Each structure stands twice: as C-alpha cells, then as structure tokens.
Amino acid sequence: MYRTKNCGELRIEDVNQEVVLSGWVQRKRDKGGMIWIDLRDRYGLTQLVFEEGKDDDAIIKKLDNIGREFVLKIVGIVIERFSKNPDLPTGDIEIRVKELHILSKSATPPFTIEDNTDGGEDLRMKYRYLDIRRKPVRDKLVLRHKMAQAVRRFLDTQDFIEVETPYLIKSTPEGARDFIVPSRMHTGTFYALPQSPQTFKQLLMVGGIDKYFQIVKCFRDEDLRADRQPEFTQIDCEMSFVTQDEVLTQFEGLVQYLFKEVKGINVNTPFVRMPYTEAMERYGNDKPDLRFGMEIKNISQAAQGKGFQVFDSVEYIGGICANNCAEYTRKQIDELIEFVKRPQIGAKGLVYVKYNSDGSFKSSVDKFFDKDTFNQWAEIIEAKPGDLMLILAGDKNKTLTQLSELRIEMGNRLDLRKPNEFKPLWVTDFPLLEWDDETQRFYAMHHPFTSPKPEDITLMESNPANVRANAYDMVINGVEVGGGSIRIFDTDLQQRMFNLLGFTEDEAKAQFGFLMDAFTYGAPPHGGIAFGFDRLCALFGGTESIRDYIAFPKNNTGRDVMIDAPATVSVEQLKELSLSIYKQTE
Amino acid sequence: MYRTKNCGELRIEDVNQEVVLSGWVQRKRDKGGMIWIDLRDRYGLTQLVFEEGKDDDAIIKKLDNIGREFVLKIVGIVIERFSKNPDLPTGDIEIRVKELHILSKSATPPFTIEDNTDGGEDLRMKYRYLDIRRKPVRDKLVLRHKMAQAVRRFLDTQDFIEVETPYLIKSTPEGARDFIVPSRMHTGTFYALPQSPQTFKQLLMVGGIDKYFQIVKCFRDEDLRADRQPEFTQIDCEMSFVTQDEVLTQFEGLVQYLFKEVKGINVNTPFVRMPYTEAMERYGNDKPDLRFGMEIKNISQAAQGKGFQVFDSVEYIGGICANNCAEYTRKQIDELIEFVKRPQIGAKGLVYVKYNSDGSFKSSVDKFFDKDTFNQWAEIIEAKPGDLMLILAGDKNKTLTQLSELRIEMGNRLDLRKPNEFKPLWVTDFPLLEWDDETQRFYAMHHPFTSPKPEDITLMESNPANVRANAYDMVINGVEVGGGSIRIFDTDLQQRMFNLLGFTEDEAKAQFGFLMDAFTYGAPPHGGIAFGFDRLCALFGGTESIRDYIAFPKNNTGRDVMIDAPATVSVEQLKELSLSIYKQTE
C-alpha cells in the first residue's frame, strides 16, 4: 500500500496516528540537525520532519540524495507542530518519519514547480506534465471537470440524453476548413473531422430524440489566432417542439445552475434579452459587457449644423459618459486619443467635453459649440457635473465599433469590469445573412440551417440583408459563451436558403442531401445551442486564455510541442493510403 | 407552445384537462365515422379520437391527408376511454381534439416504424434517423446515456477527475494502424487520431492527477470484422500510488454500482480472481463464462497407455461433462462432431462417453477402454450417471481452445447461459509478451508500458515467454469488458521492455521520447484500466451487437451509408495539403 492518507487531509485530531503518505518533494530545508521536507500530492502539502541523532541514521543519510520532485513513500507518526502554519490546511501537524522509500528520482525540473513559477510559456508547454503539477494549473482542470459534471447532471435531470455522434464524417465546404482523414479501405476518399455535430443533432431530432446534448470535441483547420485551438470542446444541445423562448429559458437555467453549483453565485433569471440592433446602437457591439453602463448615445442631431465641419460631414456622432472623469489630465486625454487612433481601432480623432463640477464645460471643440449645446449633449449622454464626455464621429457602423472599444477601455480604466460580477444576457434577432465583399455573395451569419423570422420570410429574395434570424447568443461580461438558433425544418424553405447562399441544387444535394431527405419524413420543429466549453471554463475561472483550461493545448501554429506533433509518417503508411506529398510551386 | 404534456404521461387523473401534444402519427384507424390516431413521441403513445358529425368538419377533413409519420400538434381534452388498453401506460385515456395542426408532412417511410419492423439492416442503416424513432433502438441509446451518467457519477464521488486528452496526436507504429490527419499549416506532416489516450493518461499521472478518467472516442484503422467499428468509445481510467489489488477493487466497485443503478441487479464483490494459466486450464479460454461450470478436465494420464493409438500419440486429452445428456441421440452426437470439426474449431474428431443411469458406459471408444477406465474418467470429469462426457485430444493449447468452444456450445444447447445472470471475474497474470511467428519477434500482449511481475523481471532476457505481467482483464459472461495493467514507471525497465520488443533506442526515443523524458522527473507508480464502452452497453442491454448501441454506426467496410462517407474531396483541399492521390500498381 502506497498511502493510507493523502497529503492534504491530516489535522490536529490525527496526532499520534501512524500514516503512510506518498508524493513529490516540494522542497527540503536543512537547519543544522533539523531537516524538513514538504511532501506534495494533488490534495495538498504535508511537512515531514527529521532530526539528526534522534531519527534513524539510515533515513537521515538517504535525505542527502533527495532533491526536488523526487517521489517518496513514507511511514510515520502525526505529531503537533511547534510553530504552526495557519496558511496551510495541514499546518497544525507534521510527520515524524519512521520509514522512507524513494519511489522515483527526479532530474532537476526545467522550471520551479510552485504557484508562481519561473518558467516561460514555451517551456511550460513543452513540459506540460510538470506544469500540471502546479496548483493553479491543476485547479483549472479540476474546475473544468466540475463544470462538465454539473452540465451533465443538470441536463440529465431535465430529460436530456447525451448521444455520441461520429467523429469520422464527411467534408462540407461551407464554413471553416475541415481536417480530413484519408481512408485506407476506400483509397482516394476521405472522412472529415466534425466542425460541430450540427447535422447529426438535427437528424437526432428527426429521429425523435427530442432533448439531446453532448460535450464533444470539434475541429477547425483555421489559421490560428491568439486564442484559437484546432480542436476545441462544445456543449452541444438540441430540442424539438420548442419555441425560441423555451430554448432561452432552458439554457439560462443551465447557466444559472452552473454559477450556483460551481461558484456559489446566484444569477437571476430571466436574463436580459436584447435584439442585435439594440445591442449595436447602445453598446456598438453584439456582445456587450453589462457589468457597467456607459451606454453609447447618438448626438448627431444635437451636434450637426453648428458649423463644425468635421461633424457636419459625417453620418453619425456618438458619445459615452465617463463618470467623475472631468478632472482627467492632458496626459490622460492624450492616452485616450492615442488609444482610439491605434490601427486596430482606426478612429481619426477624439472629441472630449469635460463637464466641470461648477457646471462649466471645457472641450477640444469649445470654439464651435456653446454652453447650451454642451448641455444638450450632456442631457443625451446622461452626463452630470464632474463627468467626462467622449465623442467619436464618422461612418455609423465603424464609429459604433470604435465607441465600443473606447467604452471597454474606460471600463477597464475605471475598474468597472469586476472579475466576480457576472452579467449574462441574450442577444437575439441576428441578421440571417452577411454579405461578403470579396466573394460577392451572402454567407449564413450563423449557419445554413438557421431559420428566418416568420415575418421576414417574404423579404428573403427581395431584401435578404434585412432578414432577421431566429438566432441568439448568450453573452456574459462581454464574452460570447454560446449561440444557437431555431432551425429550418421545412424542405422548401431550406432550399430557398441554399439558393440565397449560392448553392446549386446539385451542390446542396451532394453536401446535405441526407438531411434534406430526412426532412421529407416528418421533421419536428427544433432548435438548439452550442456553448464554447473552453471559453465558458475560462470565464468561470476568471482568466482570459482558454489554453489554460485545456490539459494538453496546441500552440499558435497548431503544434503540440510536448509530443512534437504533427510529424512525418512512414512511406508505408502513405502507400497504403495511395497518397504522395508533392512540393508546391509558388 | 408546441406541447404542455408529452405523449407518454397522461393518466386517468388527467381527464377533463385541456392539453397540447405534438408528435408523429404512429397509425390511423378509420372505423366508419370514428377515426383514431396514435400520436407518438420519445415518451410514449397517446390515442387521439375523432368523430364525424360531432367534431369540427374542418378537422375531420384534414385527417384525409394525414399519413404515417406526419408531425402533428393538437389541442384537445383528455377523456376516459371506452375500451381501455392495459398494455399502454396511457391506455385509460384518449384525447378529443379541438385543434389540429400539421407541422410536417411525411413521405411513406421505407420501412415500418414499429417495434418489429419490416426493414432489413442495410435499409435501416441508410435511414438510421428513422430507425431511431423505433422504441427498441431508442431504448438502447437511453441505456447508453444512463450508463455514461452513472460511470461519471460514481467516479466523481471517488475523486476521479475527467480530463479531455487531445484527438490530434502523433502516429505510433506499434499496435493497430492509425488514422492520420494531414496538416495544412505544416505540409508534409500528419497528426494521428488516438487508438487510446494511453500515453496522455500516463503523463497525467506524472503530472500528479492521481485519479483520472475519461469517456472517450478511440480510433483504429483495422480491417473490420463483424463487430468492430473504426471509431469506438472507451471508459479510460488511471490511478497513481496504487497496487494491482487496489485497482481491481476500485473498478469492480464501479461495475457493481452500474449493475445496481442501471439494472437494479446486485453483484457481489470481490469478483473472482483467476490467473490466466488457470483460466486456460479450466476453461480453455482467457475470458471464461462462469454462468455455468462444465470445467475442462485433463484426463491425459487416465487415457493414455491403454492401446488407443489416437490418444497415445497426442500431447493432451481433455473432457467436459454435459449433465443429464447420456440420452443424447445419434443425431445429436453427430451434430456435436460436426460442430468440433468445423474449420473454425478444427478438431479431428470427438470422443463421447455416455454414463448411463444404470451405471454402465456407452462410448465411441468402447473397444479400447474398460469400465474401470471410464469410471476413472468420470471421476476426474465429475460425471454422474445420466451425464455425457465429451472428449477431445491433440496439441494441448489447440485442444483446450476447442474444448472451450465445445463448452460454450453445450452451454447454449443446455440453456445454461442465462441472459439475466451476470458472473464477473478478473483474469490476472497474463503473459507479458506474445511471440509472433510471422515477424519472428515478441509483441506486448497488452501494450509496451505494462509492467512485468517483480518476481519475473529477472527472466525478461533469459526466458521472455515466461514473464508474467501485472495485467488484468475484467470478464463478464464470457465477454472481455475491460483490461488494464500496472505500468512501468522506471526508465531503465521501460528501456529493457523496448529492447525486448525490438525497438532500437532511436526508435523508442522518436516514438515515446516525451514519455521517457517525463519519467525522468519523478514518475509515481501507477496503473489503470480501459473498458470497451460499446461492448459494456451491449452486455447490459442483453444483445450481442455493439452496433445497436451506437447512434450512427459504420458498416463492415467502415462506411457511413447514411451520410455517404468517406467521400472524395475537392482538388483545392488536397492542394492546400500538398497531397496527391496516385493509382497503385499491383
């Protein structure tokens, strides 16, 4: 037996007990005659104590060769500590060791295995198995486990069935790139790894499994951005015989449950519901952070026609109110101007109006506007004396996006984005289609199976850009954690959608024929949602990077630097697949 | 709102309630003036009733166009049935319909959607989404969901953490063939899909996650046999600081819990533990079905040297006892002889000895043996008057295997393999290595990380075939449901194992270098197990085919005939991967 207790559970009540512990050497301290070792396992740290002269010489001698990260098994007696450590759950006791076995030696680890490590990210990725020994990393994996368990527990009690859908499926050209898998039994053909189980969950609905879910890996062969992974995990859900409102209620219930179970936090339902156009007008963003107000206000009418050429020549003028910032210094204002002028934001400039505590105004455009006008702006922007108004002007959509960025920046500066406050909402009524200038065609904003709002169906051919979809995103603190839609379940309507997307009938048949076929045998109305599980974990964990919540993540170029994959394969393997690699000529 | 109740929940207490139901038309009956429709959803069937003259004409008229598998939404009043159906949970009531909406039409389905369908397997695979509407199919998916939930619930309470390991990993030549995935970002290189998360779970152990599990898809590109799938699901588990006995106790606890939770059956722990050699001697099989005795007995000593040339010239003579079969007819005996002579079994012949109720013997070898000898055999084989002894002779291992087949056949004939009886056991102490005649080398019987028994380590180089492993299989009713081992956690021992398997140091480094590296930083003793989840579900469900328990299975050639995959991909896709397909010359 390697242990009777773990390294995190012994307390003062256990004094005089004989215990067996196993774990890693966190550190060893030698104070002339007295030697201490902190022994670590998943559950905590326990201090071992050795005394020269008093303890067995053979044991004391062994200690010389023991270094950090050695794996030990010890037998000993729990004793009360002379100087207790109130910061450690086991800090009242230590172990007087009677037997000591070195189970494994360790080379010096490439970085220190402490809460705060000296290892850089690349090094820690390469030695991920050592990084996982660190409590902050392990805690994130435990959080993920708890989240997954809670998701399943909740959905199970709500009569959802978890169904495993296949990983070896068929490539579809719509959307992102597929990873493909050559078939050996049918050379020249390929499986594809799923970007999501979308069509399979819809087939399950046709099959009468009216409440489906799955926590499932999905794959996208995209050029990776900072926080994307080629494989990622979704909580994938679908329901039949439901309206949009019933779907929203069901899944805000899930998220409410998660907050309660995993973080002990109460969030109220129903969540705020906000149409896409409203979110864009009020926050310049389809995933607004509602932890703070600072809404964007349109002052175009009150700002134009007063002789300020810059304003008079633009489509839109909007502003936000930074509370209690009227005292901002020149330097602070300049920082904000620099911020909005960064190429990623792209504003030409920034107009500020300080609404001083004495009721006067101080602005970069003093000479164009009088006090009455500033008062009018203040009323619209809801600024009070002591506040600072920040104003951008230009093309409407671009300006709203810039104001959104500025709003988030001010939220950060003013500490309004509290890490332990959670403000979820549903953004609804997304546009059905997005126009792509490059390819000169419409793309499905969500996916080709999303249904248009019934009242907008007549616009599909005449004014496609204005058709709203039965689509919704769940947004928490400015993060899109999930999205879904009510699906098309009528073959004719689906065909019209494919037409809009520029699929010929043959193409649609080749790609989605099985789904269209399925719909001819009695498809129920259905809809669903998928949550980005990695992102949801990061949100709950309170950090930004999803990579921290993945046990073995890939780097920005899609490499697993620990196992060194992808890698070459043998000539025989390729021959069996009838494949050859050719050098591309540029 | 599409429904206020489902089609399986209304009872006599609900009479007079107004309800909204949605579902599929299971059948429609018209008895001149009275029309009934059975409406079906996942939860059951509810009868709708319509009466010409009494009900709204418009509704009655709509009924003409409604056929099987149409999707309806109705509003109606629950009424008591005149003639009740005690076989149906909702059989006391029916619905008088006030509103009827056709949500979807249906073409005539290609097979009847009833518990007993007229559809052949190929057709049902192609229209799997319709097959899933059938209760027996749906019930299997629900069983699988319940099993998965129970596994997670149990392991969670035991402090196991579910960790997702990556799907895009690296190809390893040992074992079965990998599916490979070409990388676009690193052309000319490939990921591989995991055959199991073996190395990752071992790395998690090095990382201090001392109790890991995962319900996870695995992939093998093998030539498929009847009941194999290219993608299959494992319950994958690993523990640190454990002895073999602790692992067995932990996971027999899991299986005991599953039987209780999912089937309401008590199975006793500890399970029988039986060394491999004992299983082979007693049952001729490393996965014995313990629901019945009929053990194989070695009668070589008692049967040789009596002048029967066939017996005298062989290595081994063994027999089994079929209770109460002394009255078998010539025809029945001939069937058994034919059975053992089938090429799959390969015996040259079968000797029978009838131990008649009067104490006399009748045998095919009467002229070579006297009554005393037969009595001696009967004693060894544990036959009583009225029993039939069945005897095979030849090379020991082959004969044991043949006797095992014969034993199973007799178990089936005598109805000794009760579908609702479950007899689990652990088979332990497997050989570490298997010799392969074709390639003239040893292969790991389990996998290269399985540890030899400490007392056999000295034999590794001198007598490798006789080294026993710390490896174990869980067997239930003759089915291997899981297997695992205590792993090697010492780099030197691992190197010796690689040597035995004929890996050069460079090959070992290239394939498993990251694991060997990891072991140099303090590896804990660890071991684990993996259960074949599809097979475990089939065992619990009481049917043979694992395919029934997979929502969207592939056929014998690895094709998904529903979505028609694998399929060709576009020239552009291949070009991005720098791949070309060549015609193989034979």
Side-chain angles (χ1 to χ4, degrees), chain A residues 1-3 22 24 42-43 69 71 103-110 129-130 132-133 138 142 144-145 149 152 156 159-171 177 179-186 188-191 200 203-204 206-211 217 219 221-223 231 233 241-242 246 489 514 518 520-525 551-552 554 557-559 562-567 569 573-582 584, chain B residues 1-3 22 24 42-43 69 71 103-110 129-130 132-133 138 142 144-145 149 152 156 159-171 177 179-186 188-191 200 203-204 206-211 217 219 221-223 231 233 241-242 246 489 514 518 520-525 551-552 554 557-559 562-567 569 573-582 584:
Chain A
M1 174 158 301
Y2 288 102
R3 57 184 177 191
S22 286
W24 285 263
R42 182 183 133 198
Y43 310 92
E69 301 308 320
V71 184
L103 298 175
S104 284
K105 295 173 184 177
S106 174
T108 305
Y129 46 87
L130 296 180
I132 289 173
R133 285 189 196 160
R138 188 175 63 238
V142 172
R144 186 182 179 108
H145 163 69
Q149 280 286 120
R152 290 192 163 100
D156 182 52
D159 275 337
F160 282 77
I161 300 173
E162 185 163 24
V163 180
E164 295 175 48
T165 53
Y167 280 88
L168 295 173
I169 65 164
K170 189 168 155 175
S171 189
R177 271 193 210 85
F179 282 104
I180 60 173
V181 182
S183 163
R184 184 179 53 86
M185 308 256 276
H186 308 273
T189 65
F190 297 80
Y191 301 99
F200 287 95
L203 290 171
L204 287 172
V206 175
I209 306 292
D210 62 357
K211 292 180 177 185
K217 274 279 174 76
F219 304 86
D221 185 11
E222 289 179 301
D223 298 317
E231 49 177 309
T233 304
F241 302 120
V242 283
E246 287 167 316
F489 68 103
F514 55 97
T520 63
Y521 294 106
F552 299 102
K554 299 201 169 40
T557 72
R559 287 201 76 78
M562 181 186 72
I563 65 170
D564 196 24
V569 295
Q573 270 175 296
L574 290 178
K575 199 174 161 195
E576 281 195 321
L577 300 167
S578 290
L579 285 182
S580 59
I581 301 164
Y582 64 86
Q584 263 175 317
Chain B
M1 176 158 294
Y2 287 103
R3 58 184 176 190
S22 286
W24 285 264
R42 182 182 135 198
Y43 311 91
E69 302 307 321
V71 184
L103 297 175
S104 281
K105 294 174 186 179
S106 174
T108 305
Y129 46 87
L130 296 180
I132 289 172
R133 286 189 195 160
R138 187 174 63 238
V142 173
R144 186 183 179 105
H145 164 69
Q149 280 286 120
R152 290 191 163 100
D156 182 52
D159 274 338
F160 281 77
I161 301 173
E162 186 163 22
V163 180
E164 295 174 48
T165 53
Y167 279 89
L168 296 173
I169 64 164
K170 187 167 155 176
S171 190
R177 269 192 210 88
F179 283 104
I180 60 173
V181 182
S183 163
R184 182 180 53 86
M185 308 254 276
H186 308 273
T189 65
F190 298 81
Y191 301 100
F200 288 95
L203 290 171
L204 286 172
V206 175
I209 305 293
D210 62 358
K211 292 180 176 185
K217 274 279 175 78
F219 304 86
D221 186 12
E222 288 180 302
D223 299 316
E231 50 177 308
T233 305
F241 303 118
V242 283
E246 287 167 316
F489 68 103
F514 55 98
T520 63
Y521 294 105
F552 299 102
K554 297 199 169 42
T557 72
R559 286 201 77 77
M562 181 186 72
I563 64 170
D564 196 23
V569 295
Q573 272 175 295
L574 290 179
K575 200 174 161 194
E576 281 195 321
L577 301 167
S578 291
L579 284 182
S580 60
I581 300 164
Y582 64 86
Q584 263 174 317

Side-chain angles (χ1 to χ4, degrees), chain B residues 300-549:
Chain B
S300 304
Q301 275 210 310
Q304 288 183 319
K306 312 273 175 169
F308 181 42
Q309 180 56 31
V310 175
F311 279 7
D312 289 349
S313 65
V314 298
E315 183 189 7
Y316 175 89
I317 306 151
I320 58 174
C321 171
N323 289 328
N324 305 314
C325 293
E327 310 279 325
Y328 257 33
T329 61
R330 184 69 233 172
K331 183 163 165 285
Q332 286 173 303
I333 297 283
D334 283 347
E335 281 170 8
L336 295 180
I337 293 172
E338 257 171 67
F339 175 82
V340 299
K341 283 176 143 178
R342 287 162 50 190
Q344 306 96 301
I345 314 285
K348 296 230 173 68
L350 169 73
V351 167
Y352 71 85
V353 183
K354 292 177 172 178
Y355 191 172
N356 299 314
S357 329
D358 62 5
S360 68
F361 292 94
K362 173 84 190 74
S363 167
S364 47
V365 290
D366 275 343
K367 60 179 157 184
F368 298 103
F369 301 98
D370 57 17
K371 194 177 170 184
D372 279 356
T373 308
F374 286 145
N375 259 322
Q376 218 182 328
W377 295 3
E379 200 172 318
I380 298 169
I381 297 177
E382 295 175 10
K384 304 173 310 296
D387 292 348
L388 172 68
M389 294 185 273
L390 298 168
I391 293 159
L392 296 177
D395 172 75
K396 182 172 178 182
N397 288 337
K398 277 189 191 150
T399 306
L400 281 169
T401 304
Q402 292 158 0
L403 281 163
S404 168
E405 298 279 358
L406 182 60
R407 175 178 174 271
I408 296 293
E409 171 68 12
M410 289 309 299
N412 287 335
R413 281 176 180 250
L414 300 176
D415 230 3
L416 302 173
R417 309 180 76 200
K418 304 285 181 208
N420 273 312
E421 194 181 343
F422 294 93
K423 285 288 166 86
L425 80 153
W426 290 106
V427 179
T428 62
D429 300 357
F430 279 85
L432 184 68
L433 301 163
E434 266 179 323
W435 178 258
D436 182 58
D437 267 338
E438 200 181 318
T439 51
Q440 288 285 306
R441 55 162 274 206
F442 281 108
Y443 283 85
M445 191 155 181
H446 195 65
H447 58 57
F449 312 111
T450 298
S451 65
K453 289 194 108 53
E455 59 269 37
D456 292 358
I457 288 180
T458 51
L459 303 176
M460 280 177 77
E461 286 77 18
S462 58
N463 189 359
N466 273 13
V467 177
R468 291 165 305 158
N470 287 318
Y472 34 81
D473 278 356
M474 187 188 287
V475 175
I476 305 179
N477 295 1
V479 176
E480 179 203 323
V481 296
S485 65
I486 299 296
R487 325 298 182 189
I488 299 170
F489 68 103
D490 175 89
T491 338
D492 294 338
L493 187 58
Q494 187 67 64
Q495 191 55 58
R496 282 169 70 185
M497 182 68 177
F498 284 142
N499 291 345
L500 281 183
L501 299 175
F503 282 86
T504 67
E505 214 162 309
D506 280 353
E507 282 168 345
K509 207 178 164 61
Q511 292 309 320
F512 303 109
F514 55 98
L515 189 64
M516 306 306 293
D517 280 352
F519 279 8
T520 63
Y521 294 105
H526 61 288
I529 193 167
F531 293 91
F533 187 55
D534 308 296
R535 192 162 303 288
L536 195 65
C537 289
L539 180 84
F540 271 64
T543 58
E544 294 265 312
S545 166
I546 64 168
R547 203 179 286 178
D548 294 348
Y549 295 83

